[in-house]
Amino acid sequence: RLRNHCVACLILLACAACGSSHRKSVKAVDSGNEFVKQAKYDDATRMYQRAVELDPRNGQAYYQLALLDWNLGRRSLEGNLRRAVELEPSNMDALTKLSELYLLSYRYDSDPTRRKTYLEQMQPLTAQMLQVQPRSYQGLRIQAYIAFLTGDYATADRLFDAALRAEPKSANAAEVASDRFSAMLHECLTPAAETFAESYIRQYPSAKPVYDGLEKHYWDVRRPDLAVAVLRKKATANGD
């Protein structure tokens, strides 16, 4: 009985120590966040690294460290984002950032083997995002880009449309609308694509990417009168 009592005490002490380490880790993350607000990035990095040392299972510590990596262009970015996603599989911000990283890597890397790998890495991440939030704008948007990049323009069109319906006023909604327009053109749905783009800029007059895509399209199909009309509309709406 005495031995069992001692073992129970040791377990309780270990749990208490773990709880204390976690609380200290959370405080270290908070301190790191304050340093970021003051643009003291070296101090912030040290605090986030300290948070990881105190509690290696603190997903927020890895995520905040990854955000610094992103802003400072550090190579540890992918590893920290992956660890954040592993520890917090419902962290939509971490899932989005990691997906964005692979999407950007795909766009700027010309090696076909690595590009294939980036696509393969994006697919389960977006599926996870849509499992957490079935109507996730970011999940739908990135899945649409995967479809577009693999030549499945009909699926890209549908997913871009779903993303715009989920968050029509998102910060990069105009880019999504422009890419939907491009997907529709690839589907040879030219009249419908033109109608969509014209309607979109009427509803959202500041959507410069859609103006640019529509103008280029009209030049490409040798309709200069319509191209010039779009250019004028953009200048009027955006004060150019």
Side-chain angles (χ1 to χ4, degrees):
R1 288 182 181 179
L2 180 60
R3 179 181 294 179
N4 291 340
H5 179 72
C6 290
V7 170
C9 288
L10 288 172
I11 291 172
L12 288 172
L13 287 171
C15 290
C18 289
S20 175
S21 295
H22 177 71
R23 286 191 294 273
K24 289 178 181 177
S25 179
V26 170
K27 287 183 179 179
V29 170
D30 292 340
S31 297
N33 294 343
E34 289 301 316
F35 281 128
V36 169
K37 292 177 184 177
Q38 300 168 36
K40 296 180 179 179
Y41 302 124
D42 289 340
D43 291 330
T45 298
R46 281 192 288 272
M47 291 309 299
Y48 294 143
Q49 289 173 340
R50 177 62 178 154
V52 168
E53 291 171 4
L54 287 164
D55 183 4
R57 299 195 61 78
N58 185 345
Q60 273 301 305
Y62 285 99
Y63 177 63
Q64 295 300 331
L65 194 53
L67 289 183
L68 263 187
D69 293 339
W70 185 288
N71 293 327
L72 300 177
R74 297 190 298 212
R75 291 185 178 182
S76 51
L77 169 61
E78 181 186 1
N80 285 326
L81 277 176
R82 289 186 69 86
R83 187 64 176 143
V85 167
E86 288 170 6
L87 293 170
E88 297 185 337
S90 297
N91 185 333
M92 289 295 291
D93 292 332
L95 286 164
T96 299
K97 281 291 186 186
L98 187 54
S99 299
E100 289 278 9
L101 174 64
Y102 291 138
L103 181 59
L104 288 170
S105 299
Y106 178 95
R107 286 176 168 171
Y108 293 105
D109 193 330
S110 59
D111 182 85
T113 301
R114 286 196 295 268
R115 295 182 92 198
K116 181 182 178 183
T117 300
Y118 296 138
L119 284 175
E120 291 171 348
Q121 290 170 319
M122 274 190 283
Q123 288 165 341
L125 290 172
T126 56
Q128 191 172 337
M129 292 166 74
L130 292 171
Q131 186 175 5
V132 176
Q133 291 183 15
R135 285 178 50 80
S136 161
Y137 167 78
Q138 298 292 3
L140 292 165
R141 180 180 71 89
I142 296 172
Q143 276 201 343
Y145 283 121
I146 293 172
F148 189 94
L149 293 170
T150 54
D152 187 354
Y153 300 115
T155 298
D157 177 8
R158 176 177 59 80
L159 290 170
F160 280 135
D161 180 49
L164 289 169
R165 291 177 186 275
E167 286 191 28
K169 295 183 179 180
S170 175
N172 56 3
E175 294 175 14
V176 172
S178 178
D179 290 325
R180 187 194 175 200
F181 172 66
S182 181
M184 295 174 79
L185 291 178
H186 277 90
E187 289 181 89
C188 298
L189 301 176
T190 302
E194 293 171 353
T195 299
F196 164 72
E198 293 280 6
S199 174
Y200 193 88
I201 58 178
R202 281 197 300 272
Q203 187 174 4
Y204 301 102
S206 62
K208 289 186 178 183
V210 182
Y211 286 104
D212 294 341
L214 187 58
E215 180 196 347
K216 180 181 182 303
H217 163 68
Y218 282 143
W219 285 117
D220 289 344
V221 297
R222 298 182 181 179
R223 294 160 74 181
D225 54 328
L226 294 178
V228 171
V230 170
L231 186 61
R232 287 174 176 166
K233 287 178 186 176
K234 183 176 76 168
T236 300
N238 296 279
D240 295 341

